[in-house]
Amino acid sequence: MPPLLVLVTAALFVVIAVTNWVAVAQEDRRTEGVVKPAALLALATAALAGGALDSTAGVWLVVALLLGTAGDVLLLGDSERRFLGGLGAFLVGHLAYVACFATLGISVSWWLAGGAVALAGALVAGRAVLPATFRSGGIGLAAPVAAYMLVIGAMLVTAWGTGLALVAAGAAVFVASDTVLALDRFARPRDWVAPWPHVAVMVTYHLGQALIVVGVLGAA
């Protein structure tokens, strides 16, 4: 049975995450401003309680979660400057995830499978998102978004390369979250009804990283 502190911090994460989903669904920005960064901070606390600092992979995991928390704070604003700041925080966070997964070891066959998944996702999302970002903010916006897509693709490939099902699934769900976010911000389909895309982004965002945490700590 997991230690009591792990259970308490994990339960706290679940409560905060669900509160965030409800706040997003109700478009309650005040509550969202508190619980959005608190959710990932609670997940990082749960990782620490689970012994993350006992391994190199676990240390990189906590770094990635804390950078995600910083990104969440920055993305609470609607300006392009805040968006780019959040993008930068998450980009570095994904590099921390790459370091985390690489530390766990890479299987060539799983790495190739991850590459195929990442390539398929890039072709689908990139064709819609990159032209839209260029139209919206020129090369100054399109270039950082393109760099981010490359890094998150690398994160997905290395996650699959670990050969760990929970890590691979978590990374795929995380990428799905970012894909919906990018489509909603830059290439919103006409039949999308607000605020469901925002809810989908947060549910997949939290679920993906929770799966990664469980997978990494179980293997580290």
Side-chain angles (χ1 to χ4, degrees):
M1 178 178 293
L4 179 60
L5 183 58
V6 176
L7 292 175
V8 170
T9 51
L12 181 63
F13 161 70
V14 171
V15 170
I16 296 173
V18 172
T19 303
N20 185 197
W21 305 345
V22 173
V24 172
Q26 296 177 344
E27 299 184 309
D28 181 356
R29 298 298 297 272
R30 179 176 296 182
T31 301
E32 183 186 0
V34 175
V35 295
K36 183 178 181 181
L40 218 58
L41 194 59
L43 186 58
T45 303
L48 289 169
L53 297 185
D54 295 338
S55 67
T56 302
V59 171
W60 281 115
L61 175 69
V62 173
V63 170
L65 292 170
L66 293 178
L67 285 164
T69 303
D72 282 340
V73 172
L74 289 165
L75 290 180
L76 287 170
D78 294 325
S79 69
E80 184 174 309
R81 185 173 183 178
R82 292 286 294 265
F83 173 77
L84 289 174
L87 192 74
F90 279 109
L91 187 151
V92 180
H94 285 309
L95 290 175
Y97 272 128
V98 169
C100 170
F101 302 151
T103 301
L104 294 173
I106 301 297
S107 163
V108 174
S109 58
W110 276 88
W111 183 84
L112 291 174
V117 172
L119 179 60
L123 290 175
V124 173
R127 289 181 62 183
V129 172
L130 291 178
T133 57
F134 185 79
R135 290 192 299 270
S136 175
I139 192 65
L141 179 61
V145 170
Y148 180 83
M149 292 178 68
L150 287 173
V151 171
I152 197 172
M155 185 276 291
L156 179 61
V157 171
T158 51
W160 278 67
T162 64
L164 300 170
L166 287 179
V167 173
V173 174
F174 196 171
V175 171
S177 174
D178 272 3
T179 301
V180 175
L181 174 63
L183 290 172
D184 181 59
R185 185 178 181 95
F186 299 112
R188 185 183 180 91
R190 294 180 180 179
D191 58 347
W192 280 14
V193 179
W196 88 258
H198 303 161
V199 178
V201 166
M202 296 314 302
V203 171
T204 50
Y205 173 67
H206 291 138
L207 177 60
Q209 297 201 78
L211 288 171
I212 289 173
V213 168
V214 175
V216 169
L217 294 184

